[in-house]
Amino acid sequence: MNLKLADLRSEAKKTIKQEKIRLAIREELFRVFGPPIMVSGNLLDVIKATNEYLDLCEASGKDTRYPVKTNVLLEISKSKSSHARKLAVRLLPERIAVKFINDSEPSVRYSAAKRLSFQQIKEALKRHPGDDQLRSIMKLKKIKLNLKI
């Protein structure tokens, strides 16, 4: 295994950058949500705990808009983990969250759809006709629209 010094340096820089991003995410989630979501040293567990906390807030009718830094959320949104992308979609500004309506993971699409307008969900349903979660959100949005009129 011949590893050139330049390749080693490049890998080290990449690893350090990834670790700095992980640390920034943990610090930001701790700053905004506090100790209750710091369940372990594993970042994925922290993200899952944050999603569960937001689920509880939604179920109890509490406001789920939190002042999380957008640049940190954008880093989270690049993750391969659907839990991380779901968290990012829930906290990102709506103009950015709309881009996740076509995510490959249904839970991420569902989280994005909850924040979109009836028309945007209708368009997404054309691309994902078998997605029952999108369909149910669209029905709820339609009921809300009918109540406002």
PDB file of all heavy atoms in Angstrom, residues 19-42:
ATOM      1  N   GLU A  19     -14.605  16.383  10.948  1.00  0.00           N
ATOM      2  CA  GLU A  19     -14.713  16.407  12.414  1.00  0.00           C
ATOM      3  C   GLU A  19     -15.117  17.789  12.904  1.00  0.00           C
ATOM      4  O   GLU A  19     -15.898  17.914  13.851  1.00  0.00           O
ATOM      5  CB  GLU A  19     -13.388  15.963  13.052  1.00  0.00           C
ATOM      6  CG  GLU A  19     -13.504  15.608  14.493  1.00  0.00           C
ATOM      7  CD  GLU A  19     -14.560  14.564  14.805  1.00  0.00           C
ATOM      8  OE1 GLU A  19     -14.705  13.590  14.034  1.00  0.00           O
ATOM      9  OE2 GLU A  19     -15.264  14.715  15.831  1.00  0.00           O
ATOM     10  N   LYS A  20     -14.608  18.842  12.272  1.00  0.00           N
ATOM     11  CA  LYS A  20     -15.005  20.205  12.639  1.00  0.00           C
ATOM     12  C   LYS A  20     -16.489  20.421  12.365  1.00  0.00           C
ATOM     13  O   LYS A  20     -17.186  21.067  13.148  1.00  0.00           O
ATOM     14  CB  LYS A  20     -14.172  21.236  11.865  1.00  0.00           C
ATOM     15  CG  LYS A  20     -12.782  21.417  12.400  1.00  0.00           C
ATOM     16  CD  LYS A  20     -12.034  22.485  11.610  1.00  0.00           C
ATOM     17  CE  LYS A  20     -10.636  22.683  12.146  1.00  0.00           C
ATOM     18  NZ  LYS A  20      -9.886  23.698  11.376  1.00  0.00           N
ATOM     19  N   ILE A  21     -16.978  19.871  11.259  1.00  0.00           N
ATOM     20  CA  ILE A  21     -18.402  19.993  10.924  1.00  0.00           C
ATOM     21  C   ILE A  21     -19.243  19.261  11.965  1.00  0.00           C
ATOM     22  O   ILE A  21     -20.245  19.792  12.450  1.00  0.00           O
ATOM     23  CB  ILE A  21     -18.668  19.467   9.495  1.00  0.00           C
ATOM     24  CG1 ILE A  21     -18.057  20.416   8.464  1.00  0.00           C
ATOM     25  CG2 ILE A  21     -20.164  19.286   9.253  1.00  0.00           C
ATOM     26  CD1 ILE A  21     -18.035  19.870   7.055  1.00  0.00           C
ATOM     27  N   ARG A  22     -18.849  18.049  12.321  1.00  0.00           N
ATOM     28  CA  ARG A  22     -19.584  17.280  13.350  1.00  0.00           C
ATOM     29  C   ARG A  22     -19.633  18.046  14.668  1.00  0.00           C
ATOM     30  O   ARG A  22     -20.666  18.113  15.326  1.00  0.00           O
ATOM     31  CB  ARG A  22     -18.933  15.917  13.559  1.00  0.00           C
ATOM     32  CG  ARG A  22     -19.258  14.922  12.498  1.00  0.00           C
ATOM     33  CD  ARG A  22     -18.760  13.523  12.912  1.00  0.00           C
ATOM     34  NE  ARG A  22     -18.668  12.684  11.750  1.00  0.00           N
ATOM     35  CZ  ARG A  22     -17.547  12.393  11.102  1.00  0.00           C
ATOM     36  NH1 ARG A  22     -16.396  12.845  11.531  1.00  0.00           N
ATOM     37  NH2 ARG A  22     -17.556  11.637  10.036  1.00  0.00           N
ATOM     38  N   LEU A  23     -18.509  18.621  15.046  1.00  0.00           N
ATOM     39  CA  LEU A  23     -18.437  19.374  16.291  1.00  0.00           C
ATOM     40  C   LEU A  23     -19.344  20.607  16.228  1.00  0.00           C
ATOM     41  O   LEU A  23     -20.050  20.915  17.194  1.00  0.00           O
ATOM     42  CB  LEU A  23     -16.991  19.774  16.582  1.00  0.00           C
ATOM     43  CG  LEU A  23     -16.737  20.507  17.889  1.00  0.00           C
ATOM     44  CD1 LEU A  23     -17.137  19.636  19.077  1.00  0.00           C
ATOM     45  CD2 LEU A  23     -15.281  20.912  18.002  1.00  0.00           C
ATOM     46  N   ALA A  24     -19.317  21.306  15.101  1.00  0.00           N
ATOM     47  CA  ALA A  24     -20.161  22.498  14.941  1.00  0.00           C
ATOM     48  C   ALA A  24     -21.641  22.124  15.028  1.00  0.00           C
ATOM     49  O   ALA A  24     -22.436  22.849  15.641  1.00  0.00           O
ATOM     50  CB  ALA A  24     -19.858  23.180  13.610  1.00  0.00           C
ATOM     51  N   ILE A  25     -22.015  20.992  14.441  1.00  0.00           N
ATOM     52  CA  ILE A  25     -23.412  20.539  14.493  1.00  0.00           C
ATOM     53  C   ILE A  25     -23.806  20.236  15.936  1.00  0.00           C
ATOM     54  O   ILE A  25     -24.853  20.685  16.418  1.00  0.00           O
ATOM     55  CB  ILE A  25     -23.614  19.303  13.590  1.00  0.00           C
ATOM     56  CG1 ILE A  25     -23.471  19.695  12.123  1.00  0.00           C
ATOM     57  CG2 ILE A  25     -24.973  18.656  13.845  1.00  0.00           C
ATOM     58  CD1 ILE A  25     -23.370  18.512  11.164  1.00  0.00           C
ATOM     59  N   ARG A  26     -22.979  19.472  16.639  1.00  0.00           N
ATOM     60  CA  ARG A  26     -23.274  19.136  18.048  1.00  0.00           C
ATOM     61  C   ARG A  26     -23.386  20.396  18.898  1.00  0.00           C
ATOM     62  O   ARG A  26     -24.314  20.537  19.692  1.00  0.00           O
ATOM     63  CB  ARG A  26     -22.192  18.226  18.629  1.00  0.00           C
ATOM     64  CG  ARG A  26     -22.260  16.800  18.162  1.00  0.00           C
ATOM     65  CD  ARG A  26     -21.182  15.960  18.830  1.00  0.00           C
ATOM     66  NE  ARG A  26     -21.261  15.983  20.272  1.00  0.00           N
ATOM     67  CZ  ARG A  26     -22.112  15.269  21.006  1.00  0.00           C
ATOM     68  NH1 ARG A  26     -22.957  14.482  20.420  1.00  0.00           N
ATOM     69  NH2 ARG A  26     -22.106  15.348  22.317  1.00  0.00           N
ATOM     70  N   GLU A  27     -22.453  21.320  18.736  1.00  0.00           N
ATOM     71  CA  GLU A  27     -22.475  22.555  19.528  1.00  0.00           C
ATOM     72  C   GLU A  27     -23.725  23.384  19.234  1.00  0.00           C
ATOM     73  O   GLU A  27     -24.340  23.933  20.146  1.00  0.00           O
ATOM     74  CB  GLU A  27     -21.215  23.379  19.264  1.00  0.00           C
ATOM     75  CG  GLU A  27     -19.977  22.813  19.903  1.00  0.00           C
ATOM     76  CD  GLU A  27     -18.715  23.590  19.564  1.00  0.00           C
ATOM     77  OE1 GLU A  27     -18.771  24.525  18.729  1.00  0.00           O
ATOM     78  OE2 GLU A  27     -17.660  23.245  20.118  1.00  0.00           O
ATOM     79  N   GLU A  28     -24.101  23.461  17.962  1.00  0.00           N
ATOM     80  CA  GLU A  28     -25.274  24.253  17.598  1.00  0.00           C
ATOM     81  C   GLU A  28     -26.563  23.615  18.127  1.00  0.00           C
ATOM     82  O   GLU A  28     -27.435  24.301  18.651  1.00  0.00           O
ATOM     83  CB  GLU A  28     -25.346  24.424  16.077  1.00  0.00           C
ATOM     84  CG  GLU A  28     -26.479  25.295  15.605  1.00  0.00           C
ATOM     85  CD  GLU A  28     -26.401  26.740  16.065  1.00  0.00           C
ATOM     86  OE1 GLU A  28     -25.380  27.168  16.642  1.00  0.00           O
ATOM     87  OE2 GLU A  28     -27.392  27.466  15.862  1.00  0.00           O
ATOM     88  N   LEU A  29     -26.679  22.303  18.010  1.00  0.00           N
ATOM     89  CA  LEU A  29     -27.872  21.636  18.540  1.00  0.00           C
ATOM     90  C   LEU A  29     -27.936  21.784  20.062  1.00  0.00           C
ATOM     91  O   LEU A  29     -29.016  21.986  20.625  1.00  0.00           O
ATOM     92  CB  LEU A  29     -27.907  20.166  18.121  1.00  0.00           C
ATOM     93  CG  LEU A  29     -28.117  19.908  16.631  1.00  0.00           C
ATOM     94  CD1 LEU A  29     -28.045  18.423  16.331  1.00  0.00           C
ATOM     95  CD2 LEU A  29     -29.425  20.501  16.141  1.00  0.00           C
ATOM     96  N   PHE A  30     -26.796  21.709  20.733  1.00  0.00           N
ATOM     97  CA  PHE A  30     -26.769  21.899  22.183  1.00  0.00           C
ATOM     98  C   PHE A  30     -27.148  23.334  22.537  1.00  0.00           C
ATOM     99  O   PHE A  30     -27.900  23.571  23.488  1.00  0.00           O
ATOM    100  CB  PHE A  30     -25.401  21.550  22.747  1.00  0.00           C
ATOM    101  CG  PHE A  30     -25.332  21.665  24.247  1.00  0.00           C
ATOM    102  CD1 PHE A  30     -25.881  20.669  25.043  1.00  0.00           C
ATOM    103  CD2 PHE A  30     -24.735  22.752  24.845  1.00  0.00           C
ATOM    104  CE1 PHE A  30     -25.833  20.770  26.424  1.00  0.00           C
ATOM    105  CE2 PHE A  30     -24.684  22.861  26.225  1.00  0.00           C
ATOM    106  CZ  PHE A  30     -25.236  21.869  27.016  1.00  0.00           C
ATOM    107  N   ARG A  31     -26.649  24.295  21.783  1.00  0.00           N
ATOM    108  CA  ARG A  31     -26.952  25.710  22.042  1.00  0.00           C
ATOM    109  C   ARG A  31     -28.449  25.977  21.933  1.00  0.00           C
ATOM    110  O   ARG A  31     -29.035  26.656  22.764  1.00  0.00           O
ATOM    111  CB  ARG A  31     -26.195  26.615  21.060  1.00  0.00           C
ATOM    112  CG  ARG A  31     -26.431  28.107  21.287  1.00  0.00           C
ATOM    113  CD  ARG A  31     -25.850  28.956  20.173  1.00  0.00           C
ATOM    114  NE  ARG A  31     -26.556  28.837  18.918  1.00  0.00           N
ATOM    115  CZ  ARG A  31     -27.713  29.447  18.607  1.00  0.00           C
ATOM    116  NH1 ARG A  31     -28.307  30.210  19.493  1.00  0.00           N
ATOM    117  NH2 ARG A  31     -28.255  29.287  17.423  1.00  0.00           N
ATOM    118  N   VAL A  32     -29.082  25.409  20.913  1.00  0.00           N
ATOM    119  CA  VAL A  32     -30.487  25.696  20.655  1.00  0.00           C
ATOM    120  C   VAL A  32     -31.428  24.860  21.520  1.00  0.00           C
ATOM    121  O   VAL A  32     -32.389  25.370  22.078  1.00  0.00           O
ATOM    122  CB  VAL A  32     -30.806  25.491  19.148  1.00  0.00           C
ATOM    123  CG1 VAL A  32     -32.284  25.639  18.873  1.00  0.00           C
ATOM    124  CG2 VAL A  32     -30.003  26.472  18.309  1.00  0.00           C
ATOM    125  N   PHE A  33     -31.145  23.563  21.641  1.00  0.00           N
ATOM    126  CA  PHE A  33     -32.083  22.659  22.307  1.00  0.00           C
ATOM    127  C   PHE A  33     -31.688  22.296  23.732  1.00  0.00           C
ATOM    128  O   PHE A  33     -32.503  21.794  24.493  1.00  0.00           O
ATOM    129  CB  PHE A  33     -32.260  21.379  21.481  1.00  0.00           C
ATOM    130  CG  PHE A  33     -32.880  21.636  20.161  1.00  0.00           C
ATOM    131  CD1 PHE A  33     -32.107  21.684  19.011  1.00  0.00           C
ATOM    132  CD2 PHE A  33     -34.240  21.840  20.041  1.00  0.00           C
ATOM    133  CE1 PHE A  33     -32.676  21.932  17.778  1.00  0.00           C
ATOM    134  CE2 PHE A  33     -34.826  22.091  18.814  1.00  0.00           C
ATOM    135  CZ  PHE A  33     -34.033  22.138  17.674  1.00  0.00           C
ATOM    136  N   GLY A  34     -30.439  22.495  24.088  1.00  0.00           N
ATOM    137  CA  GLY A  34     -30.005  22.244  25.446  1.00  0.00           C
ATOM    138  C   GLY A  34     -29.692  20.789  25.743  1.00  0.00           C
ATOM    139  O   GLY A  34     -29.704  19.934  24.864  1.00  0.00           O
ATOM    140  N   PRO A  35     -29.455  20.499  27.019  1.00  0.00           N
ATOM    141  CA  PRO A  35     -29.028  19.164  27.447  1.00  0.00           C
ATOM    142  C   PRO A  35     -29.993  18.016  27.141  1.00  0.00           C
ATOM    143  O   PRO A  35     -29.526  16.899  26.952  1.00  0.00           O
ATOM    144  CB  PRO A  35     -28.848  19.311  28.962  1.00  0.00           C
ATOM    145  CG  PRO A  35     -28.695  20.762  29.194  1.00  0.00           C
ATOM    146  CD  PRO A  35     -29.442  21.458  28.116  1.00  0.00           C
ATOM    147  N   PRO A  36     -31.305  18.220  27.085  1.00  0.00           N
ATOM    148  CA  PRO A  36     -32.184  17.054  26.890  1.00  0.00           C
ATOM    149  C   PRO A  36     -31.904  16.228  25.634  1.00  0.00           C
ATOM    150  O   PRO A  36     -32.186  15.040  25.603  1.00  0.00           O
ATOM    151  CB  PRO A  36     -33.586  17.658  26.822  1.00  0.00           C
ATOM    152  CG  PRO A  36     -33.486  18.944  27.540  1.00  0.00           C
ATOM    153  CD  PRO A  36     -32.088  19.438  27.302  1.00  0.00           C
ATOM    154  N   ILE A  37     -31.344  16.835  24.602  1.00  0.00           N
ATOM    155  CA  ILE A  37     -31.112  16.065  23.374  1.00  0.00           C
ATOM    156  C   ILE A  37     -29.718  15.475  23.287  1.00  0.00           C
ATOM    157  O   ILE A  37     -29.420  14.716  22.388  1.00  0.00           O
ATOM    158  CB  ILE A  37     -31.414  16.910  22.112  1.00  0.00           C
ATOM    159  CG1 ILE A  37     -30.557  18.167  22.068  1.00  0.00           C
ATOM    160  CG2 ILE A  37     -32.868  17.274  22.029  1.00  0.00           C
ATOM    161  CD1 ILE A  37     -29.693  18.192  20.891  1.00  0.00           C
ATOM    162  N   MET A  38     -28.858  15.784  24.222  1.00  0.00           N
ATOM    163  CA  MET A  38     -27.508  15.237  24.215  1.00  0.00           C
ATOM    164  C   MET A  38     -27.517  13.867  24.894  1.00  0.00           C
ATOM    165  O   MET A  38     -27.174  13.719  26.064  1.00  0.00           O
ATOM    166  CB  MET A  38     -26.526  16.176  24.907  1.00  0.00           C
ATOM    167  CG  MET A  38     -26.285  17.450  24.155  1.00  0.00           C
ATOM    168  SD  MET A  38     -25.569  17.110  22.540  1.00  0.00           S
ATOM    169  CE  MET A  38     -26.095  18.525  21.635  1.00  0.00           C
ATOM    170  N   VAL A  39     -27.958  12.867  24.146  1.00  0.00           N
ATOM    171  CA  VAL A  39     -28.129  11.536  24.715  1.00  0.00           C
ATOM    172  C   VAL A  39     -26.857  10.690  24.663  1.00  0.00           C
ATOM    173  O   VAL A  39     -26.737   9.737  25.399  1.00  0.00           O
ATOM    174  CB  VAL A  39     -29.281  10.778  24.017  1.00  0.00           C
ATOM    175  CG1 VAL A  39     -30.597  11.443  24.324  1.00  0.00           C
ATOM    176  CG2 VAL A  39     -29.049  10.681  22.523  1.00  0.00           C
ATOM    177  N   SER A  40     -25.944  11.013  23.772  1.00  0.00           N
ATOM    178  CA  SER A  40     -24.708  10.235  23.678  1.00  0.00           C
ATOM    179  C   SER A  40     -23.673  11.018  22.893  1.00  0.00           C
ATOM    180  O   SER A  40     -23.934  12.114  22.421  1.00  0.00           O
ATOM    181  CB  SER A  40     -24.979   8.897  22.986  1.00  0.00           C
ATOM    182  OG  SER A  40     -25.107   9.085  21.594  1.00  0.00           O
ATOM    183  N   GLY A  41     -22.531  10.390  22.734  1.00  0.00           N
ATOM    184  CA  GLY A  41     -21.477  11.003  21.943  1.00  0.00           C
ATOM    185  C   GLY A  41     -21.674  10.809  20.455  1.00  0.00           C
ATOM    186  O   GLY A  41     -21.031  11.449  19.645  1.00  0.00           O
ATOM    187  N   ASN A  42     -22.582   9.921  20.090  1.00  0.00           N
ATOM    188  CA  ASN A  42     -22.835   9.619  18.689  1.00  0.00           C
ATOM    189  C   ASN A  42     -23.735  10.700  18.081  1.00  0.00           C
ATOM    190  O   ASN A  42     -24.848  10.933  18.559  1.00  0.00           O
ATOM    191  CB  ASN A  42     -23.503   8.243  18.589  1.00  0.00           C
ATOM    192  CG  ASN A  42     -23.716   7.799  17.175  1.00  0.00           C
ATOM    193  OD1 ASN A  42     -23.623   8.577  16.230  1.00  0.00           O
ATOM    194  ND2 ASN A  42     -24.014   6.530  17.018  1.00  0.00           N
TER     195      ASN A  42
END
